[in-house]
């Protein structure tokens, strides 16, 4: 079981690293474009296209699995916290199955769209020059498939009644140290 967790976390961390690199690249690209406009009165071509079709998509969708691995997704625990351990386990499994199926549906839908864009050779045109943009469409199914894999791991851990099914797979380094831990 530990090997499955490590493999999932490896892929999740790689995707999050790519998203972090995209943030830095986006900042540098936009800053270079602004600098070029002010200093040379000329802009760098396709900056808005690259930012909108590559950087923003990578930043938004690749770290989805990391958010789930850190248990950082939005949740409301009005009733859940009052349930018994077995009921919490059952509710957790049902939610993870539903989330897994949703992510699988989104993965396949986005894959079909990415393949359509690839087949048609989707481009963006700026100042009469075209740039291919179909590659960015593959970032969405990549992000949702990683999220689906993390949910599947949560389902397997839940069925095995492993303690990792009910806790973050990655401890957040930003969490404060408790009084007892000092």
């Amino acid at each position: 079981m530990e090997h499955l967790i490590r493999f999932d976390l490896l892929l999740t961390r790689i995707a999050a690293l790519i998203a972090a690199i995209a943030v830095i690249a986006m900042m540098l690209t936009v800053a270079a474009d602004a600098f070029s406009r002010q200093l040379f009165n000329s802009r760098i071509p396709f900056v808005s296209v690259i930012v909108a079709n590559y950087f923003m998509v990578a930043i938004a969708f690749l770290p989805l699995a990391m958010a789930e691995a850190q248990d950082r997704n939005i949740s409301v625990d009005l009733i859940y916290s009052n349930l018994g351990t077995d009921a919490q386990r059952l509710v957790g499994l049902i939610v993870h199955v539903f989330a897994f199926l949703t992510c699988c549906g989104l993965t396949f839908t986005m894959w079909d769209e990415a393949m359509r864009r690839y087949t048609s050779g989707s481009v963006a045109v700026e100042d009469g020059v075209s740039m291919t943009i179909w590659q960015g469409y593959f970032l969405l199914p990549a992000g949702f498939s990683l999220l689906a894999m993390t949910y599947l791991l949560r389902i397997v851990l839940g069925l095995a009644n492993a303690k990792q099914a009910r806790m973050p797979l990655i401890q957040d380094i930003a969490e404060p140290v408790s009084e007892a831990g000092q």
Side-chain angles (χ1 to χ4, degrees):
M1 196 70 66
E2 195 64 35
H3 294 299
L4 289 175
I5 295 171
R6 283 193 198 134
F7 180 68
D8 180 64
L9 294 180
L10 173 69
L11 294 178
T12 298
R13 286 180 172 140
I14 289 170
L17 176 65
I18 292 169
I21 291 169
V23 168
I24 294 167
M26 182 177 68
M27 287 186 324
L28 293 173
T29 303
V30 171
D33 184 50
F35 182 74
S36 175
R37 282 186 198 184
Q38 294 299 316
L39 191 63
F40 305 116
N41 201 24
S42 174
R43 57 193 227 11
I44 300 172
F46 294 109
V47 167
S48 61
V49 173
I50 293 168
V51 166
N53 291 288
Y54 293 99
F55 294 147
M56 294 299 280
V57 176
I59 293 165
F61 291 98
L62 290 181
L64 290 174
M66 179 65 83
E68 173 54 32
Q70 291 178 330
D71 198 24
R72 296 296 225 165
N73 287 322
I74 296 171
S75 64
V76 178
D77 295 333
L78 294 173
I79 299 172
Y80 183 80
S81 58
N82 295 325
L83 297 175
T85 306
D86 290 337
Q88 285 182 352
R89 182 172 168 249
L90 179 64
V91 168
L93 277 171
I94 291 169
V95 168
H96 288 131
V97 167
F98 180 71
F100 170 73
L101 294 174
T102 302
C103 288
C104 286
L106 288 168
T107 298
F108 290 118
T109 301
M110 296 299 140
W111 180 261
D112 286 343
E113 180 64 22
M115 289 305 294
R116 271 196 292 279
R117 297 294 181 143
Y118 168 72
T119 306
S120 68
S122 187
V123 297
V125 179
E126 187 175 286
D127 296 330
V129 180
S130 63
M131 175 185 176
T132 59
I133 58 168
W134 57 264
Q135 300 92 338
Y137 284 89
F138 286 95
L139 293 170
L140 285 100
F144 282 118
S145 64
L146 285 172
L147 183 57
M149 190 171 75
T150 302
Y151 280 126
L152 181 60
L153 177 62
R154 292 275 193 186
I155 293 166
V156 170
L157 291 170
L159 290 173
N161 203 17
K163 65 178 180 168
Q164 294 97 333
R166 295 176 297 280
M167 57 188 271
L169 299 173
I170 299 174
Q171 294 301 320
D172 190 358
I173 60 172
E175 288 180 5
V177 176
S178 68
E179 293 292 325
Q182 291 181 343

